[in-house]
Amino acid sequence: MANVKRRMTPIPPFGPVTSVRLLSTCPLCRLMFDITYLSNDDLQSIRDPESADEGHLALVPGWTLVHLDSDQNTWPKKEWGPHAICLYTAVTRARSRWQPQIGVHAGLDAIAVVDVEENGAVGTPILGVKKVDPRTPKYHMIKEWLRRCDALHHITCRPLVSEGLKKIKLVDVETRQIVMYPSDGCDYVALSYVWGGVVQPSYKLGDVLPTIPATLEDAMVVTRHLGKRYLWADSLCIDQGDEAEKNMQIPLMSAIYTGSWATIFNVAGQSAQGGLPRVGALDGVIPQLSCEIGGKLLLSLMPPLRAQLSESLWNTRAWTFQEGLLSPRRLFFTNHQVYFECNLGQCCESIDDSRSAFHLLSDEEREVTSRNALHSPNALVFSDPDEEFDGGVLRDPFRPIFTSKKQGISESFRIWKYNQLVHSYTERKMTMDTDALNAFSAILTRFQETHYEGGFVHGLPVEDLPMALLWIHDDEVEPCRRDSFPSWSWTVWEGAVMGAADACVRGTTNQLRDVQKQYLPPLRVWKAGDDGPPELVYDYSPVLENHGTREDEVNEEDTGGEDAVITEDEASTPPQCDGEAFSTRRLGFLGRH
């Protein structure tokens, strides 16, 4: 495919989007209307501000494989056989002298023709559309997704079993009893959901569960259908009335979610009482759109997972971010259907992937295809040079498909990855301000295991502290201060933050990074302990060649606010480096409790 030149074929539109007439008596018109949604902002973005011309409605063909995940680095290959094509409703932007090309604003849904063969005969298109039962999930299909991932993705998706799991409790879904994680290990299913203000009682080891909120009951039902015996849910497996137990369990969040065999996500839920769609309740279920034309049945593929998450309450909550990111296998229950995503692929009930060669690739085979896509001259996806992650919506950023053998990239890329995750996390909301660091702790744990062995100070990586201190708020954010955190950490401020150093760090080598570090301010940081003197956790003194000394530039009154500390010895005795004396300034931030 690397040598194939793709041509964009002009698509004749139906007419201006706000005035085109769709007949209620036409099945195709009705289906197009149902799968097209444009907000007022969308309509403004496709209008030419000079002429007031507007975009036109059109039908655009596309692969169903791409509908599954538009960011993955793979297109159907000829040797894989014929692949199914779907039709999107789209809106072309108005032509103007500033934009002579026609752009496409893709819709949220697509339609495709159902194959005559029930299971797809040889020669029929792969990844064809399937009927979705509005009354119950296809458990046999879900189990096949998980079985296939178990068999093929032993590196990227294998649960990470750690010693910390021996400290957690689980729900035995057969007996409804709270038990300890078995000493010989086990597969367990985790649950991620929105509490929604529902007050839940506390449970202790050995308790047998009474009637519990619908989402938790339904999660137990799904766990049994998947053939597993144990479920982990925070409200059931952590005694909510025991502060000591909560403080012990929060540092284990990374171990819990990375160690789960699969995680259930209630994307549709507004609270713990909402239940999982099509498991225990049918309220709010959105049936699959369909119509028949000329004896052919057309079905909607339903909105892709990315669109489902973007509109959900679940996607706005702080705690759910690390739960979704670190789980190796994810089952998303929405009002439309169930979606599955692991670290290498994505599936859904409305698309038949049973004969898809793409979904049958192993870790090693996906590494080859990803490397080829990355180095293809026609590559459309920007990938970092150190680690390759094949698209996805919420795939683990610490388990890449492959890592580069090139030296000097990893250290530069880690601060960019850190800043991106902090930005995504701080866009979300939390009920308790004191959870600002707790709800991100699992991600920091994974960072410490993979990139930052030196650890963190109030959420900032010690090894990249000068760069990490350069965070700023988005322009549209009105920051609101929280208590219990120092002012120099992003944890103290409510509102999305971004790393100011991103553009300078992304993709640089260590050689260039060494040059950049010469211009960083000298910095010394202490961490306040419970007893005894503060602990020195960071000490950096750059060599500034050809820039003279810094001593004359130091303003004696600028000692850095409430957390700044400067000692007489450090101020008066310049350190030596490579036989050349230079003066420096060292500030220490005393962490608060």
Side-chain angles (χ1 to χ4, degrees):
M1 292 297 289
N3 297 324
V4 176
K5 294 183 179 180
R6 300 188 181 93
R7 298 179 60 186
M8 298 298 292
T9 304
I11 302 169
F14 291 100
V17 65
T18 58
S19 58
V20 64
R21 299 182 64 182
L22 298 177
L23 301 178
S24 61
T25 56
C26 172
L28 181 59
C29 286
R30 291 201 305 268
L31 193 57
M32 287 175 56
F33 178 82
D34 288 338
I35 67 173
T36 305
Y37 174 78
L38 293 172
S39 67
N40 288 330
D41 290 339
D42 293 329
L43 293 175
Q44 289 298 322
S45 70
I46 59 176
R47 189 183 300 273
D48 179 8
E50 293 187 353
S51 64
D53 290 340
E54 60 179 304
H56 288 222
L57 182 67
L59 277 177
V60 182
W63 301 109
T64 55
L65 174 61
V66 178
H67 180 81
L68 271 176
D69 182 4
S70 59
D71 287 340
Q72 63 196 4
N73 297 344
T74 303
W75 291 69
K77 297 182 178 181
K78 184 176 181 180
E79 58 267 28
W80 289 355
H83 274 64
I85 293 177
C86 57
L87 292 174
Y88 296 90
T89 53
V91 177
T92 62
R93 297 189 185 96
R95 289 179 177 271
S96 70
R97 58 175 178 157
W98 301 112
Q99 187 174 341
Q101 301 295 325
I102 293 180
V104 175
H105 179 93
L108 295 179
D109 204 345
I111 54 178
V113 178
V114 178
D115 292 334
V116 177
E117 297 290 341
E118 182 67 23
N119 296 315
V122 176
T124 58
I126 298 167
L127 292 174
V129 65
K130 288 177 67 72
K131 289 184 178 180
V132 175
D133 190 337
R135 299 164 299 176
T136 181
K138 297 176 182 176
Y139 289 110
H140 67 281
M141 194 175 191
I142 296 172
K143 291 173 70 173
E144 176 57 21
W145 296 337
L146 292 161
R147 184 208 63 78
R148 191 169 57 198
C149 179
D150 249 344
L152 298 174
H153 307 158
H154 53 278
I155 298 175
T156 50
C157 302
R158 174 179 51 83
L160 301 178
V161 179
S162 63
E163 287 295 312
L165 295 180
K166 295 180 179 180
K167 302 176 183 178
I168 71 171
K169 293 180 286 187
L170 299 168
V171 178
D172 185 329
V173 298
E174 300 296 335
T175 65
R176 301 181 65 89
Q177 189 173 28
I178 305 295
V179 300
M180 289 300 297
Y181 179 85
S183 58
D184 56 347
C186 70
D187 289 338
Y188 64 91
V189 176
L191 174 66
S192 175
Y193 66 108
V194 175
W195 280 42
V198 175
V199 178
Q200 302 188 53
S202 299
Y203 300 101
K204 300 183 181 298
L205 185 65
D207 286 352
V208 176
L209 297 177
T211 301
I212 53 179
T215 297
L216 302 169
E217 286 282 5
D218 290 350
M220 293 175 65
V221 172
V222 173
T223 301
R224 287 194 292 269
H225 274 290
L226 296 180
K228 300 303 176 183
R229 182 165 183 172
Y230 298 104
L231 171 72
W232 186 91
D234 54 2
S235 61
L236 304 180
C237 300
I238 300 176
D239 187 345
Q240 301 300 312
D242 188 335
E243 289 298 321
E245 180 173 330
K246 288 199 290 187
N247 291 335
M248 181 188 71
Q249 292 291 311
I250 286 176
L252 298 177
M253 290 297 106
S254 174
I256 290 169
Y257 282 99
T258 60
S260 66
W261 180 77
T263 301
I264 296 168
F265 296 88
N266 188 8
V267 177
Q270 302 295 305
S271 75
Q273 294 288 8
L276 296 176
R278 300 189 299 144
V279 177
L282 299 179
D283 294 342
V285 172
I286 301 173
Q288 189 176 26
L289 300 172
S290 66
C291 75
E292 188 170 330
I293 301 177
K296 298 287 187 179
L297 178 62
L298 277 71
L299 295 174
S300 72
L301 298 181
M302 299 187 163
L305 176 59
R306 187 178 302 276
Q308 298 274 14
L309 293 182
S310 67
E311 298 297 322
S312 68
L313 176 63
W314 178 92
N315 202 48
T316 67
R317 306 308 299 167
W319 278 98
T320 61
F321 182 62
Q322 62 184 15
E323 296 166 3
L325 211 60
L326 300 183
S327 300
R329 303 186 186 104
R330 298 164 285 279
L331 292 170
F332 298 94
F333 284 73
T334 75
N335 283 329
H336 287 87
Q337 61 177 330
V338 176
Y339 300 78
F340 169 73
E341 183 177 64
C342 66
N343 289 327
L344 278 189
Q346 192 179 116
C347 308
C348 65
E349 291 180 89
S350 64
I351 296 179
D352 180 8
D353 55 59
S354 60
R355 297 184 299 120
S356 170
F358 173 77
H359 288 87
L360 294 175
L361 295 176
S362 65
D363 281 322
E364 295 79 10
E365 292 168 324
R366 284 296 293 278
E367 177 179 342
V368 172
T369 59
S370 295
R371 284 187 186 275
N372 292 341
L374 179 63
H375 298 108
S376 167
N378 296 324
L380 301 178
V381 180
F382 179 79
S383 301
D384 73 79
D386 174 54
E387 299 174 326
E388 173 63 10
F389 305 87
D390 211 24
V393 178
L394 278 173
R395 295 181 187 171
D396 191 338
F398 304 102
R399 301 179 74 172
I401 296 175
F402 66 83
T403 54
S404 174
K405 302 298 183 182
K406 189 184 299 183
Q407 297 296 320
I409 299 296
S410 182
E411 182 183 349
S412 302
F413 175 61
R414 66 186 182 186
I415 186 64
W416 180 88
K417 180 190 292 187
Y418 166 83
N419 284 336
Q420 294 300 304
L421 293 178
V422 168
H423 175 73
S424 297
Y425 169 71
T426 53
E427 287 183 309
R428 296 176 172 230
K429 304 296 182 182
M430 64 190 69
T431 302
M432 304 294 294
D433 284 346
T434 52
D435 286 336
L437 195 55
N438 288 337
F440 197 65
S441 62
I443 292 176
L444 296 182
T445 297
R446 289 294 287 142
F447 261 121
Q448 191 163 355
E449 293 169 351
T450 58
H451 292 77
Y452 288 115
E453 295 181 1
F456 295 81
V457 179
H458 287 288
L460 276 62
V462 170
E463 293 162 72
D464 276 325
L465 197 56
M467 286 290 191
L469 284 168
L470 297 180
W471 61 267
I472 58 175
H473 280 287
D474 283 351
D475 293 339
E476 299 178 358
V477 171
E478 295 184 5
C480 178
R481 181 160 184 172
R482 301 184 177 109
D483 295 328
S484 304
F485 301 101
S487 60
W488 43 267
S489 171
W490 52 263
T491 56
V492 78
W493 299 101
E494 181 181 348
V497 302
M498 58 188 298
D502 280 359
C504 303
V505 179
R506 172 79 165 161
T508 59
T509 63
N510 279 353
Q511 183 178 5
L512 179 56
R513 183 179 172 83
D514 288 341
V515 174
Q516 292 172 340
K517 289 179 71 173
Q518 293 182 15
Y519 295 91
L520 295 177
L523 187 65
R524 169 169 282 189
V525 179
W526 292 268
K527 181 180 180 181
D530 295 329
D531 301 306
E535 172 190 359
L536 180 65
V537 296
Y538 185 85
D539 186 8
Y540 177 64
S541 300
V543 178
L544 301 179
E545 297 180 354
N546 301 322
H547 285 76
T549 67
R550 297 285 297 276
E551 192 170 32
D552 295 337
E553 302 174 12
V554 174
N555 183 340
E556 291 299 321
E557 295 180 357
D558 180 20
T559 56
E562 58 185 359
D563 290 327
V565 175
I566 183 168
T567 65
E568 293 183 3
D569 290 340
E570 294 297 331
S572 60
T573 307
Q576 301 290 322
C577 184
D578 296 331
E580 184 175 341
F582 69 99
S583 299
T584 187
R585 190 93 184 260
R586 299 186 183 182
L587 297 180
F589 295 104
L590 289 174
R592 301 187 209 157
H593 298 282

